[in-house]
Amino acid sequence: NFDEFLTPNKESSYILRVKGDSMINAGIREGDMVIAERKNNYKVGQIVIAMVDGDYTMKYLREKNGEHYLEPANEKYKNIYPTESFKVEAVVTGVVRKY
């Protein structure tokens, strides 16, 4: 079953439509649908949905000197270093693209 494959934890999963091209080098394009899962723990290196200084974004979760920051997968964008608030909302577990 395709639903069970993409969202084994339905209660904690949701789907978002991608806007922008900041994750293009990770194979995530504008218009794609990403499956995001809320979890208790997130790992550095995962692609996450995060609230940073009042805005939502999807980027790689990175850490430097004990502080988390977000890294895009497109060299034309800069890393995001939280200044006021930071919360990881979910981890991206899949991408769906329709042609």
Side-chain angles (χ1 to χ4, degrees), residues 38-57:
R38 291 179 197 91
K39 296 184 176 189
N40 292 327
N41 298 311
Y42 303 96
K43 297 177 185 174
V44 171
Q46 290 180 311
I47 298 173
V48 298
I49 307 298
M51 169 80 81
V52 182
D53 300 334
D55 291 320
Y56 281 100
T57 190

Side-chain angles (χ1 to χ4, degrees), residues 5-77:
F5 173 72
L6 289 175
T7 56
N9 300 313
K10 289 184 188 349
E11 306 80 36
S12 60
S13 298
Y14 57 97
I15 296 174
L16 297 170
R17 184 174 301 279
V18 175
K19 291 183 182 179
D21 63 351
S22 69
M23 296 302 289
I24 194 99
N25 293 332
I28 301 172
R29 300 176 181 165
E30 184 162 12
D32 288 351
M33 303 292 281
V34 294
I35 295 96
E37 184 179 340
R38 291 179 197 91
K39 296 184 176 189
N40 292 327
N41 298 311
Y42 303 96
K43 297 177 185 174
V44 171
Q46 290 180 311
I47 298 173
V48 298
I49 307 298
M51 169 80 81
V52 182
D53 300 334
D55 291 320
Y56 281 100
T57 190
M58 176 179 55
K59 306 281 184 282
Y60 283 110
L61 180 64
R62 302 294 190 206
E63 185 177 18
K64 184 177 182 180
N65 299 325
E67 298 290 326
H68 286 111
Y69 69 96
L70 298 172
E71 178 185 38
N74 185 334
E75 54 279 344
K76 73 180 188 179
Y77 296 98

